[in-house]
Amino acid sequence: MEEDCMSSDNDYYYHDEEDDRDSLNGLQGVEDDLTSRNDGGSSTKVITRESLLAAQKEDLRRIMDLLSLKEHHARTLLIYYRWDVEKVLAVLVEKGKDRLFAEAGVIVVENPNPCSSSSSFDCGICMEEKSAREVTVMDCGHYFCNDCWTEHFIVQINEGHSRCIRCMAYKCNTICDEAKVRNLVSQRDLDLAEKFDRFLLESYIEDNKRVKWCPSVPHCGNAIRVDDDEFCEVECACGEQFCFSCSYEAHSPCSCHMWELWSKKCQDESETVNWITVNTKPCPKCHKPVEKNGGCNLVVCVCGQAFCWICGGATGKEHTWSSIAGHSCGRYKEDHENKTERAKRDLWRYMHYHNRYKAHTDSYMLEAKLKETMQEKISKLEERESTFKDFSWVTNGLYRLFRSRRVLSYSYPFAYYMFGDVLFKNEMTEKEREIKQNLFEDQQQQLEANVEKLSSCLEEPFDGYDEDKVKEIRMKIMTLTGIVDNLCRKMYECIENDLLGALQHTIHIIAPYKSKGLEKASELPYWWDTQSQTSEGNGVTGSCQPSSNLDNREDSACSSRKRARGGTLGGDRYFDLNLPADMINNS
């Protein structure tokens, strides 16, 4: 099988847009229910519709307790610092509380209400006289009439600025109290107030660097929160596996930038287009690409237009040994031949890596069918009166085959960019590049050879073998499983330390190697303090009933049942997160 995998480019190469799209999506979702799980606690959490509010409340409570703030002030701080509690604490220590609040637009000093000493006053926006009941004062002390505030809030919400609506006063940086915004807007447009609440709720995901929407299609409605390294690959509860950093499919050992370039190259056939661009010239009349099939530089398009191959200018159809009729473009440009040869060389190099990437992707898809056959083989072995009672060596070998095949497949796009001129041309000398490429390819070939051996052993009909033969196959699979795991780990160490770690001018980070497969995110529990729901200016709230089995905790449990989309968020409202925010008004 090793020889088949290393066949010539022409044996494998074909470039079809649908096949490339299948290749890019092919490795996604096959391992959904095949991956063994880590025994320890999960460092990634699934945020569902029900637990989103609880996750937000958790961070809000930390800031509220630490800085003795109201909830809308705490939310303003966290939105400004992208829901990074550690960043808020770091700024607090470095700059102090006053600078922390001022930069985020938080005013916690109670300003006297000017409306309490006067029955009427003039609005500074519309210049009309208003009664005290028609006036709203913000934390900064600025006051305007309710109509002007409402128009301001409506404009800001429709423009997508719901998370940080600032005071209308000139050069005032204060963020308006969300409770007052909600109160005024709901009197004019209940749906818009609903949209405002939704924006505030989803800011925990949209503005949080440690939380990302699951990119599943159709969308499962979940988000993923990571507690440790954000450069990782995760698996949602729906089975979708993706890179947390870029939200593309899991692609290590490629960095996010490498995978983005490779995906684009495979999807739009950019290398083929590049070769056509270099080796053809557009006709000056019909603009179709024309390829020269002879040595003469007078080219005639199928439309009948004659033009000069050297400069692309239109000419007559006659020429002599020294000139073309009706045209002269000066000296022949020598760099054109060099450019053509370079384009051909780049295309063949791309074909080399693409063929192997495609071959291992196809093998992965075909090997995924082994799951059903393995279950049948195990069932047959269990029915026999055999000394073997534990067949975990079969499933472990199968899981290892899937994971190592993925690593092997993505290692070719990595090598294409690591040892090419696109990203790291000035990072290594030619000698250094050659040494590092040989080191990497040696490890890659060792991994490839053992992966093919493991695949061959798993495909054997060992359910029909005798006891001794089964024992022999068992030892082979167990040995190869350990060898492949070790080779994958060594390849990652080589990439992280010797290749990417040695770069001086650019930084490329890859997700760490997971021997047991991608960690499946656990569901975030949704508990929060019931007292915070009734606090003044509480903003986004939820309806919960106290639980009787919380062991003296001040938390309460909230029902996980989905609720109908009717009413307001402040009044027991749950939103369907499958719908984008801008569709609320159309619902």
Side-chain angles (χ1 to χ4, degrees), residues 545-557:
Q545 297 297 328
S547 177
S548 59
N549 58 348
L550 295 182
D551 299 330
N552 298 324
R553 294 180 58 186
E554 294 182 356
D555 295 339
S556 63

Side-chain angles (χ1 to χ4, degrees), residues 292-487:
K292 188 174 74 167
N293 57 5
C296 179
N297 287 323
L298 177 63
V299 180
V300 181
C301 179
V302 292
C303 70
Q305 175 65 50
F307 64 95
C308 174
W309 179 258
I310 299 176
C311 69
T315 68
K317 292 187 178 181
E318 296 181 357
H319 67 93
T320 64
W321 289 105
S322 58
S323 64
I324 299 176
H327 178 72
S328 176
C329 63
R331 298 180 181 274
Y332 178 75
K333 299 178 181 179
E334 293 290 343
D335 65 337
H336 177 74
E337 288 186 353
N338 296 333
K339 188 176 181 181
T340 302
E341 291 301 320
R342 184 169 60 251
K344 289 182 178 179
R345 185 173 62 251
D346 291 344
L347 178 61
W348 283 109
R349 182 174 181 271
Y350 166 70
M351 289 168 57
H352 169 85
Y353 288 101
H354 179 272
N355 292 341
R356 284 151 180 78
Y357 161 75
K358 185 76 165 59
H360 287 294
T361 303
D362 293 342
S363 296
Y364 180 92
M365 297 300 296
L366 292 172
E367 288 165 347
K369 301 177 182 178
L370 286 174
K371 179 192 173 185
E372 297 180 0
T373 59
M374 286 300 163
Q375 294 294 338
E376 295 176 359
K377 291 179 181 179
I378 292 175
S379 298
K380 290 181 180 179
L381 289 174
E382 288 176 341
E383 292 174 358
R384 291 164 47 179
E385 294 183 358
S386 173
T387 57
F388 295 106
K389 302 300 181 183
D390 181 14
F391 297 97
S392 59
W393 53 274
V394 180
T395 54
N396 289 341
L398 185 63
Y399 299 156
R400 182 63 56 206
L401 175 64
F402 289 141
R403 296 176 198 129
S404 57
R405 185 71 79 178
R406 288 185 63 139
V407 171
L408 194 56
S409 176
Y410 291 123
S411 70
Y412 283 100
F414 169 83
Y416 176 79
Y417 288 107
M418 185 70 227
F419 307 113
D421 296 333
V422 177
L423 296 178
F424 310 117
K425 182 177 181 180
N426 300 322
E427 289 280 359
M428 299 174 283
T429 63
E430 290 297 328
K431 185 65 176 178
E432 291 175 338
R433 180 179 283 106
E434 181 180 357
I435 294 174
K436 292 183 177 182
Q437 184 170 357
N438 289 334
L439 173 66
F440 177 79
E441 289 178 348
D442 286 344
Q443 294 191 356
Q444 191 181 44
Q445 289 177 4
Q446 290 182 47
L447 176 61
E448 190 172 47
N450 284 278
V451 167
E452 299 300 343
K453 291 178 182 178
L454 179 60
S455 177
S456 177
C457 288
L458 288 170
E459 290 177 353
E460 287 195 32
F462 52 81
D463 55 320
Y465 292 166
D466 56 33
E467 288 286 311
D468 293 336
K469 188 67 173 177
V470 171
K471 186 181 296 185
E472 181 182 345
I473 289 294
R474 174 176 174 270
M475 288 305 301
K476 281 185 179 181
I477 292 178
M478 292 177 65
T479 302
L480 287 170
T481 299
I483 291 174
V484 167
D485 182 31
N486 189 45
L487 288 174

Side-chain angles (χ1 to χ4, degrees), residues 13-32:
Y13 189 76
Y14 60 96
H15 203 108
D16 182 79
E17 187 173 352
E18 285 297 324
D19 288 337
D20 270 336
R21 190 175 294 110
D22 291 341
S23 296
L24 293 173
N25 298 329
L27 300 186
Q28 191 70 12
V30 178
E31 288 185 76
D32 291 346

Side-chain angles (χ1 to χ4, degrees), residues 218-229:
H219 188 222
C220 64
N222 295 337
I224 303 294
R225 187 181 75 183
V226 297
D227 297 329
D228 299 326
D229 187 9

Side-chain angles (χ1 to χ4, degrees), residues 231-279:
F231 291 97
C232 62
E233 294 173 339
V234 297
E235 181 178 347
C236 179
C238 70
E240 184 77 7
Q241 298 179 351
F242 65 98
C243 171
F244 187 83
S245 179
C246 65
S247 296
Y248 282 106
E249 62 179 279
H251 52 69
S252 67
C254 281
S255 68
C256 295
H257 187 43
M258 289 177 179
W259 183 248
E260 181 182 4
L261 294 175
W262 182 261
S263 300
K264 184 177 185 302
K265 187 178 291 293
C266 291
Q267 289 174 353
D268 63 9
E269 300 179 338
S270 56
E271 281 298 320
T272 304
V273 173
N274 177 53
W275 190 90
I276 292 175
T277 302
V278 173
N279 289 274

